[in-house]
Amino acid sequence: MRTRRCQHTDDLLSWQPPQVEARFEPARVRSATPSGKVCRALSEAMKEDGRSREEIAAALSEHLGEPISRDSLDAWASEAREASNIAGYRLIGLISVLKSKELLNELLARTDMIVVDRKYRPLIERQLMEEAQTRIKKMIQQADKEWKGLK
C-alpha cells in the first residue's frame, strides 16, 4: 500500500534560508569588463523595476531636479556605448528611484562589502557589541591573571 504525503505541510528538507545579500541572476549581469558589468546591472535593474524607461527617466528627472531622457538611460545601460558612463550622483539617484539593492550589490561585487536592509542594522550593531563585550571580558581575565601573578 502506498502512503500519501500530507499536502498541508512543507518538505523540511527543501527549506532554504532567506537570502541576506540581494543579487541578480549571475548569468544576466556577467560581463568581461567592470564597465560592462555596470551596464548589464543597470539594464537588469530597470527590467526588474517593471516601469518603462520613459517612466523611470521621468522619476529620475523629478528626483534629481534635472531633465533625464530615455536616451540617457539607454546609453548608460549599453555596453556598446562605453563613452556614456553614468555620473555618480545620477547613479545614486537611479538606485534610489529603482530601490534596487541588487544593483548596489552588483556594483560592490569586487569589494568586501554588501548592501543589507536598514532593518537589520540593530542586529548587526548588537552582534558587534557582543563581540566587543567578549574581547573586553578576555582583557579583564588577562588583567586578573597578571594581577594575581604579582601578589
Side-chain angles (χ1 to χ4, degrees):
M1 179 172 195
R2 198 168 127 177
T3 60
R4 291 193 306 181
R5 186 174 162 261
C6 176
Q7 301 298 318
H8 301 291
T9 59
D10 292 328
D11 182 5
L12 294 176
L13 298 177
S14 68
W15 180 83
Q16 294 291 319
Q19 295 296 315
V20 174
E21 184 178 359
R23 288 276 186 190
F24 294 123
E25 186 181 321
R28 299 190 61 92
V29 292
R30 188 172 297 131
S31 181
T33 64
S35 62
K37 179 143 181 138
V38 170
C39 294
R40 301 287 301 266
L42 284 171
S43 178
E44 194 63 24
M46 287 188 278
K47 283 179 193 170
E48 285 200 0
D49 182 75
R51 292 178 282 181
S52 71
R53 289 200 178 179
E54 289 84 3
E55 292 171 315
I56 293 170
L60 183 56
S61 295
E62 185 177 329
H63 182 81
L64 295 176
E66 65 181 63
I68 303 291
S69 67
R70 180 206 163 109
D71 291 339
S72 293
L73 295 179
D74 291 343
W76 298 334
S78 172
E79 288 184 79
R81 296 174 70 178
E82 289 185 20
S84 298
N85 292 328
I86 186 170
Y89 77 98
R90 288 178 175 161
L91 177 61
I92 292 167
L94 187 57
I95 289 167
S96 179
V97 166
L98 298 175
K99 296 179 180 19
S100 178
K101 292 181 290 290
E102 296 86 356
L103 176 55
L104 275 171
N105 279 326
E106 291 303 334
L107 298 175
L108 294 171
R110 293 185 177 188
T111 72
D112 60 352
M113 296 175 271
I114 62 168
V115 175
V116 294
D117 284 319
R118 187 177 301 275
K119 69 182 181 181
Y120 296 119
R121 183 178 179 172
L123 292 173
I124 294 167
E125 289 174 343
R126 183 183 187 286
Q127 180 62 34
L128 292 171
M129 287 182 244
E130 281 187 9
E131 290 172 5
Q133 185 178 38
T134 300
R135 284 193 306 275
I136 290 170
K137 283 182 182 179
K138 287 180 181 178
M139 291 168 61
I140 291 171
Q141 290 171 350
Q142 183 62 34
D144 287 347
K145 286 180 186 177
E146 289 177 18
W147 174 250
K148 290 177 183 174
L150 292 175
K151 287 185 178 179

